[in-house]
Amino acid sequence: MNPRDSILMEYSDVPDGTTLSSMDCPSCMGGVNKERSLSVGNADGLLWWRCHRSSCEFKGGHRLGYVTGQRGQPKKKGKVRTYTRTALPEDVALMLAERLSVAAETFDEQRWSYTPDFGGHGRRVIIPIRDPHGRMRGHVYRSYWGDSPKAFTDYMENRGTGIAWCRATTYGKTLVIVEDLPSAHRLMCAGVDAVALLGTNVDNARINEMRQAGYTDMILSLDQDATEKAISMVIGLNAVGILTVKPLEEDDIKDMSPDKFSEYIGEVRSMS
């Protein structure tokens, strides 16, 4: 993927009138000091970008495919919330790393970012929603500071089923299906392919997307409250033999202790 395509994949959902700063430049990669030197913005449907490193000439623009409405705002469903997105602060990355028991650099690798205020709903960690091929299909704006609701989910139009992929391998056969993205991210960091339902709904379109991605063993691993519903869904979709239900005993995957998580991973691998 060339740098321009990387920009279009990562930032085509930036709201009109928004400018993002201190992002990673896909052309120079920040040089030897790994500077966050890229600015990206949307001005009346024109996505623009510019790297501010003196030795990098990466800049450009791309006209997005929506029709603007009054005052230059894109016509889209739902309420548009104004916010400024920046790179994930170091202290937030370290906090997340400790909570999930993963390396802090994994959030940067997966392009997690941050906003100090999401449209009046407090500071949020912004987690990309990706399709099976790594392309953007939206974001989850999750609070770790007690703001309500805990998470907002924003989907881009016509980008598939809405489930969020965290693939550790390219040609894996076993896939763990969970409720939320932090749990899926933790599984991916442990070398396990995962997909987050961003809820508890499983339907034929979502199963078909997983099967078309090449998975033959799918383990549905939801919390205790959703287990009965999960079993009913498997039976109702005639997916017995395709989906295996493995209910979580106590903690959600993102909240498991390192020992409990290692035990869980061992059980998952023994099922494949």
Side-chain angles (χ1 to χ4, degrees):
M1 180 183 301
N2 62 45
R4 182 179 185 277
D5 289 344
S6 179
I7 292 289
L8 298 182
M9 185 179 78
E10 293 291 337
Y11 300 107
S12 60
D13 62 330
V14 171
D16 189 37
T18 299
T19 298
L20 311 178
S21 59
S22 300
M23 309 307 289
D24 293 320
C25 176
S27 180
C28 68
M29 305 302 292
V32 294
N33 294 322
K34 301 298 181 183
E35 300 175 45
R36 297 182 183 275
S37 53
L38 183 74
S39 293
V40 184
N42 182 349
D44 197 21
L46 176 66
L47 180 69
W48 60 268
W49 58 90
R50 181 184 183 90
C51 179
H52 298 286
R53 290 186 70 239
S54 58
S55 59
C56 182
E57 299 180 353
F58 182 59
K59 62 182 178 179
H62 175 79
R63 179 63 61 180
L64 299 173
Y66 57 66
V67 179
T68 56
Q70 294 181 348
R71 298 182 183 178
Q73 294 297 320
K75 293 181 178 179
K76 59 187 298 186
K77 297 179 181 179
K79 181 179 180 181
V80 177
R81 295 180 174 85
T82 302
Y83 66 96
T84 300
R85 188 167 77 184
T86 67
L88 197 66
E90 183 178 0
D91 63 325
V92 176
L94 291 173
M95 177 269 290
L96 292 171
E98 182 176 1
R99 291 185 66 151
L100 297 178
S101 298
V102 301
E105 57 266 25
T106 62
F107 305 114
D108 186 50
E109 292 167 358
Q110 296 301 312
R111 301 294 180 91
W112 290 33
S113 53
Y114 173 82
T115 178
D117 181 57
F118 182 61
H121 292 277
R123 54 199 298 208
R124 302 266 164 172
V125 173
I126 306 173
I127 312 174
I129 302 171
R130 301 183 186 277
D131 72 8
H133 307 289
R135 296 173 298 207
M136 292 294 299
R137 57 175 31 158
H139 290 94
V140 171
Y141 303 82
R142 189 177 183 92
S143 173
Y144 286 89
W145 299 275
D147 295 290
S148 182
K150 181 179 291 185
F152 289 93
T153 303
D154 183 27
Y155 293 107
M156 302 167 70
E157 294 184 8
N158 303 317
R159 294 296 179 95
T161 66
I163 54 180
W165 289 78
C166 292
R167 301 183 74 170
T169 67
T170 304
Y171 301 107
K173 297 299 181 183
T174 300
L175 181 70
V176 178
I177 306 165
V178 298
E179 292 186 36
D180 60 88
L181 258 169
S183 293
H185 180 85
R186 187 177 188 184
L187 287 167
M188 179 191 68
C189 292
V192 176
D193 291 342
V195 65
L197 298 175
L198 305 179
T200 58
N201 183 50
V202 180
D203 56 26
N204 281 317
R206 292 180 167 197
I207 291 176
N208 287 338
E209 182 172 287
M210 298 173 203
R211 297 186 72 178
Q212 288 170 7
Y215 293 95
T216 55
D217 299 316
M218 305 176 202
I219 301 170
L220 190 61
S221 204
L222 309 180
D223 65 25
Q224 289 284 358
D225 292 339
T227 296
E228 184 175 346
K229 178 182 177 182
I231 294 172
S232 298
M233 286 188 294
V234 171
I235 296 173
L237 294 170
N238 196 27
V240 177
I242 299 173
L243 291 180
T244 301
V245 177
K246 177 178 173 49
L248 299 174
E249 295 178 1
E250 296 178 3
D251 293 332
D252 196 7
I253 292 169
K254 64 180 179 293
D255 300 320
M256 289 180 179
S257 67
D259 288 344
K260 189 67 177 178
F261 181 69
S262 295
E263 180 182 341
Y264 174 85
I265 292 296
E267 294 171 353
V268 165
R269 288 178 172 152
S270 69
M271 296 171 68
S272 60

